[in-house]
Amino acid sequence: AQSVAQPEDQVNVAEGNPLTVKCTYSVSGNPYLFWYVQYPNRGLQFLLKYITGDNLVKGSYGFEAEFNKSQTSFHLKKPSALVSDSALYFCAVRDRRNTGFQKLVFGTGTRLLVSP
Amino acid sequence: SAVISQKPSRDICQRGTSLTIQCQVDSQVTMMFWYRQQPGQSLTLIATANQGSEATYESGFVIDKFPISRPNLTFSTLTVSNMSPEDSSIYLCSVDAGSSGANVLTFGAGSRLTVL
């Protein structure tokens, strides 16, 4: 079975400081990994994904994430946070052996609050 | 990527009533997905709506409670029937982002339902 854990309900960071939003996963095979962001009163927006290749993935709005197979993690990072980054962030995973979006599993979300 | 319009954006409903949520996509898509986002919980796939065939429901969701229509390749509806307070959630429509890359979903802004 696939699962995703986002251990922090909320992350607080001051503007200009680096931010990390944690995600660990569990799949039987190799994973496809995703980060989505949800701004207030809006749907989820795709940020970045890891499919294969370079473990460091760069995405939208200056975000990046590092795939760490040994630690089964895919933490989201940004070198310098902006107040506008404040939103709800979701990590998602799918086993590569499973075809179709039906097998995409989301975490419970982490709320990021960036203070001025 | 596709642009999705959902309505209503929010509604307050009485126990025992039903509400239909509409999802319009600006391009033709084969599959449309309906998700539920309960407060403090992850996104859960309700069903996959295919044009020309019955929707495929995930475990824990049944057609009598969540009937879905898919009359053409750009439109779908989800009805939440005989609502109870436990149905208070955000309901999200999504599609394969297509040109944005495989395995990526595009989401509508969601319909926030509150059942009294």
Side-chain angles (χ1 to χ4, degrees):
Chain A
Q2 304 165 149
S3 66
V4 176
Q6 293 182 245
E8 303 153 315
D9 291 335
Q10 183 165 308
V11 170
N12 298 304
V13 64
E15 187 173 35
N17 285 356
L19 69 88
T20 299
V21 182
K22 296 179 180 177
C23 172
T24 58
Y25 65 90
S26 175
V27 297
S28 299
N30 291 312
Y32 290 147
L33 292 155
F34 307 85
W35 277 101
Y36 287 83
V37 59
Q38 186 177 34
Y39 297 101
N41 300 315
R42 297 178 64 178
L44 276 72
Q45 297 178 29
F46 168 73
L47 268 183
L48 50 81
K49 66 180 179 181
Y50 170 79
I51 301 297
T52 187
D54 195 347
N55 289 345
L56 183 63
V57 179
K58 294 187 182 297
S60 306
Y61 313 122
F63 284 93
E64 59 188 28
E66 185 166 13
F67 170 59
N68 188 318
K69 187 172 184 177
S70 63
Q71 297 184 4
T72 62
S73 67
F74 191 58
H75 301 330
L76 182 70
K77 299 183 179 184
K78 187 174 182 181
S80 179
L82 299 173
V83 173
S84 57
D85 292 329
S86 298
L88 187 59
Y89 291 81
F90 289 93
C91 182
V93 67
R94 180 164 73 79
D95 191 320
R96 286 190 205 179
R97 300 174 303 175
N98 293 328
T99 58
F101 291 104
Q102 293 85 340
K103 301 302 182 184
L104 187 64
V105 175
F106 286 86
T108 52
T110 298
R111 187 165 300 281
L112 174 66
L113 290 178
V114 182
S115 56
Chain B
S1 61
V3 176
I4 301 175
S5 301
Q6 260 188 260
K7 58 181 181 181
S9 58
R10 59 178 63 231
D11 207 339
I12 299 174
C13 309
Q14 296 298 318
R15 181 194 300 261
T17 62
S18 299
L19 182 79
T20 296
I21 301 166
Q22 298 180 9
C23 178
Q24 179 75 53
V25 188
D26 69 345
S27 58
Q28 295 185 339
V29 293
T30 303
M31 291 188 291
M32 297 175 74
F33 306 94
W34 287 99
Y35 282 86
R36 182 174 70 183
Q37 182 182 5
Q38 293 179 299
Q41 298 187 30
S42 65
L43 278 75
T44 303
L45 181 64
I46 298 172
T48 302
N50 301 304
Q51 195 271 332
S53 64
E54 287 210 359
T56 303
Y57 288 83
E58 298 300 305
S59 176
F61 298 97
V62 295
I63 188 171
D64 290 345
K65 176 66 175 177
F66 297 101
I68 288 172
S69 77
R70 184 77 200 276
N72 57 54
L73 290 172
T74 63
F75 187 79
S76 178
T77 68
L78 169 75
T79 299
V80 187
S81 302
N82 188 25
M83 287 185 285
S84 66
E86 292 71 34
D87 295 319
S88 297
S89 289
I90 300 173
Y91 292 86
L92 295 155
C93 170
S94 70
V95 303
D96 184 340
S99 60
S100 295
N103 302 292
V104 173
L105 293 172
T106 297
F107 287 85
S111 299
R112 182 184 295 270
L113 301 189
T114 302
V115 184
L116 303 178

